[in-house]
Amino acid sequence: LEAISGSSVGSRDLWMGQTHVAPSTASANHHHGISETGIYVVSGHPEFVFLDETGGEPAERRLRTSPGDYIYVPPWVPHREENPDPGEEAVVVIARTTQEAIVVNLADLTWTGPPSV
């Protein structure tokens, strides 16, 4: 649900809106290209999954959130969003630094970085 954007208020670099995540759902593994993303959890307990490649074997790391939590997703970082709760939707407010919603789906959570220019 778009709230602040180029089309709604004329912002150039900032986009903000609200997303409702249905119970028992998960996104594909993906990144948001050049866009930085900030997330504020309004309700529910969404989880954000990243691959930790520091110190040995890569392992999935899960950030379990609660209302009032903030999450920062840097550009190009592979991740996945999940709402494991079988009965409660999650509501989050999203801010990003691009007007378009860049979503690049990936086979897994392995970091590849930005494309070479």
Side-chain angles (χ1 to χ4, degrees):
L1 305 171
E2 183 178 292
I4 297 171
S5 68
S7 62
S8 69
V9 299
S11 62
R12 290 182 299 155
D13 298 322
L14 178 66
W15 184 98
M16 287 185 74
Q18 188 180 91
T19 299
H20 294 244
V21 185
S24 299
T25 59
S27 71
N29 298 319
H30 65 281
H31 67 69
H32 298 291
I34 62 170
S35 186
E36 291 181 273
T37 305
I39 301 162
Y40 175 76
V41 180
V42 176
S43 65
H45 298 277
E47 299 183 2
F48 300 86
V49 184
F50 300 86
L51 190 64
D52 183 354
E53 298 184 82
T54 61
E57 280 296 309
E60 283 191 3
R61 298 289 181 230
R62 183 173 297 273
L63 301 175
R64 293 179 173 93
T65 67
S66 294
D69 287 346
Y70 291 87
I71 300 293
Y72 172 66
V73 182
W76 306 103
V77 172
H79 62 285
R80 180 175 65 243
E81 298 104 12
E82 300 180 359
N83 181 8
D85 191 300
E88 181 182 11
E89 78 172 359
V91 177
V92 298
V93 170
I94 297 173
R96 65 175 186 250
T97 57
T98 58
Q99 291 296 308
E100 72 177 82
I102 300 168
V103 178
V104 178
N105 287 321
L106 304 167
D108 58 36
L109 294 173
T110 304
W111 166 262
T112 59
S116 299
V117 182

